[in-house]
Amino acid sequence: MNKKIMDEAALGRAVMRISHEIIEKNKGIENIVLVGIKRRGIYLGQMIHDNIMKIEGVDVPFQTLDIHFYRDDLTKESDAPVYNAESDQFEVTNKKIVLVDDVIYTGRTVRAAIEAIFTMGRPSQIQLAVLIDRGHRELPFKADYIGKSIPTSRNETVSVKVECIDGETGVDLLTD
């Protein structure tokens, strides 16, 4: 069973609000680097980047991050991952890193992303922006910016869709 949680307009409004909150909390955008976590976090991060560009008129740095190699459940997916560290390197030292992801669930993706960031240097701060917080943390992480909190059961799945990957934009709640 599918239930529409956000349509394209609602998703756009949530991302715009997150963009404003990032600017407000940081008293501007100085020293900020937006980092979209692969896969859908990249597209949401790009939306935040574009919004900040419209609001502030400044091209805040935007990077992408593939955390696959840093996952603690990697052996379930592959015994021999291929990792190209040079393709994911960017300057983080003394920067305010804003990690962007689509859904926060157990916290394992956030942990992997933070580990990846620290292999590149020591940021002054790491913040987390997520479109959906669905609860059920296994690790003690809390997002700084949340588009929408959706209480879920463990047998439900939150599906974030972006046009360039899924052919539509929105968020659905799927029940087994």
Side-chain angles (χ1 to χ4, degrees):
M1 183 170 116
N2 291 359
K3 179 181 177 188
K4 179 67 72 180
I5 301 297
M6 297 175 105
D7 61 13
E8 184 173 3
L11 188 147
R13 286 190 300 273
V15 171
M16 180 58 82
R17 182 174 34 79
I18 290 170
S19 304
H20 279 285
E21 289 174 357
I22 290 169
I23 295 165
E24 289 172 21
K25 180 176 181 173
N26 292 287
K27 297 176 177 65
I29 55 167
E30 186 176 341
N31 257 352
I32 288 190
V33 177
L34 295 171
V35 179
I37 298 173
K38 186 179 178 185
R39 182 149 181 219
R40 286 165 181 81
I42 292 172
Y43 301 99
L44 296 167
Q46 186 66 55
M47 291 172 68
I48 292 170
H49 170 270
D50 295 348
N51 288 342
I52 291 174
M53 179 71 143
K54 290 175 193 168
I55 297 163
E56 293 290 305
V58 177
D59 187 12
V60 66
F62 175 69
Q63 301 290 334
T64 64
L65 185 64
D66 182 350
I67 54 93
H68 182 81
F69 182 76
Y70 294 92
R71 294 209 45 107
D72 59 3
D73 57 358
L74 185 63
T75 56
K76 294 177 185 175
E77 297 178 24
S78 171
D79 290 330
V82 176
Y83 178 65
N84 180 357
E86 291 183 19
S87 67
D88 279 341
Q89 296 295 310
F90 49 90
E91 184 58 44
V92 301
T93 302
N94 296 322
K95 303 289 184 185
K96 291 180 186 177
I97 304 298
V98 180
L99 294 172
V100 181
D101 203 7
D102 57 349
V103 178
I104 185 168
Y105 179 37
T106 62
R108 294 188 182 282
T109 297
V110 176
R111 186 214 50 85
I114 290 171
E115 185 176 332
I117 292 294
F118 275 110
T119 65
M120 293 181 246
R122 190 171 194 284
S124 64
Q125 190 174 40
I126 297 177
Q127 300 171 12
L128 176 63
V130 297
L131 181 64
I132 304 294
D133 182 345
R134 64 168 289 188
H136 302 285
R137 253 12 131 256
E138 294 173 4
L139 300 173
F141 291 108
K142 181 180 178 213
D144 299 279
Y145 314 101
I146 301 169
K148 187 173 183 97
S149 293
I150 302 172
T152 63
S153 68
R154 291 195 184 269
N155 70 334
E156 294 175 312
T157 303
V158 174
S159 174
V160 175
K161 298 176 184 175
V162 293
E163 181 69 35
C164 54
I165 296 173
D166 307 296
E168 64 178 299
T169 301
V171 180
D172 294 333
L173 183 63
L174 313 174
T175 306
D176 295 340

